[in-house]
Amino acid sequence: MEIFLDSSDIKEIRQLNKSNLINGITTNPSLLASVKTDFKILLKEICKEIKGPVSAEVTASNFNDMLKEAEIFKKIAKNIVIKIPLTQDGLQACHALSKKKIKTNVTLCFSPSQALLAAKAGATYISPFVGRLDDIGENGIELISDIRKIFNNYKNLKTKILAASLRTVDHVNKVAVIGADVATIPAKIFKELYKHHLTDKGIEIFSSDWKKSGMKILP
Ligand code: G3P
């Protein structure tokens, strides 16, 4: 499974990229708006730091303006992926961009049928939002599972499942078990992926036993 950071904070992206475990970045208008830097400058910096796919989301709601905004994004860096909301205009724009071999990430997906339409429109990635379904008492993880089954049924559907709106380590574990192609994860959750209390306890025991032996590996 590929791991993307769901972030527009260039400092935290640079810091976590030192792990060599970050395969890409997803941004959205809220994340970009939260950083007081011009979006073109910020996206250029992110695309310099991360060589993998960097999603930048259109803010227009009509087909023509979505394509115009996509043109602007594409000029920023080669690894920009055009993120598009799952609407009729959005899937029309997705189809047009896909025909021109421009990578797309169809976002704000909340149902299997939406994901199926996005895949038929040629989306490179589909972003089902797990956490926001949980927020309304629905089962976000089940959506990932349903989409995985649908895409497995039809070999002509090449769209990658990019599990999004992940709020816990358990969300990440579960979408990996299901077989999501990508998980886009906030920095806070990414850092928690390393942790388990038994790992800490085990290190403590090993270290204490080693100290008692009096032996040293380093001179
Ligand atoms: O950026 C897309 C998605 O990951 C947003 O997550 O937590 O705002 O629902 P969230």
Side-chain angles (χ1 to χ4, degrees), residues 6-7 26-31 57 83 107-108 110 127-132 135 162-167 184-186:
D6 197 35
S7 173
T26 53
T27 71
N28 62 47
S30 303
L31 288 171
E57 187 164 341
K83 206 172 180 185
T107 189
L108 289 165
F110 296 96
S127 290
F129 278 32
V130 174
R132 295 194 192 186
D135 291 347
L162 194 165
S165 188
L166 301 176
R167 306 274 173 78
T184 192
I185 309 168

Side-chain angles (χ1 to χ4, degrees), residues 75-119:
K75 289 194 177 92
I76 295 171
K78 284 199 301 297
N79 53 326
I80 287 269
V81 171
I82 307 301
K83 206 172 180 185
I84 307 169
L86 212 155
T87 61
Q88 277 188 290
D89 277 66
L91 293 194
Q92 218 185 312
C94 173
H95 184 267
L97 292 168
S98 304
K99 284 274 172 241
K100 292 199 281 185
K101 302 276 181 259
I102 293 172
K103 291 195 170 156
T104 54
N105 174 4
V106 173
T107 189
L108 289 165
C109 170
F110 296 96
S111 76
S113 56
Q114 284 185 315
L116 180 58
L117 294 183

Side-chain angles (χ1 to χ4, degrees), residues 164-199:
S165 188
L166 301 176
R167 306 274 173 78
T168 63
V169 169
D170 186 51
H171 273 166
V172 179
N173 292 340
K174 287 198 163 90
V175 301
V177 168
I178 290 166
D181 300 285
V182 186
T184 192
I185 309 168
K188 177 178 172 296
I189 304 301
F190 176 78
K191 292 173 197 168
E192 288 176 20
L193 295 179
Y194 287 92
K195 295 179 191 154
H196 194 289
H197 66 90
L198 288 179
T199 304

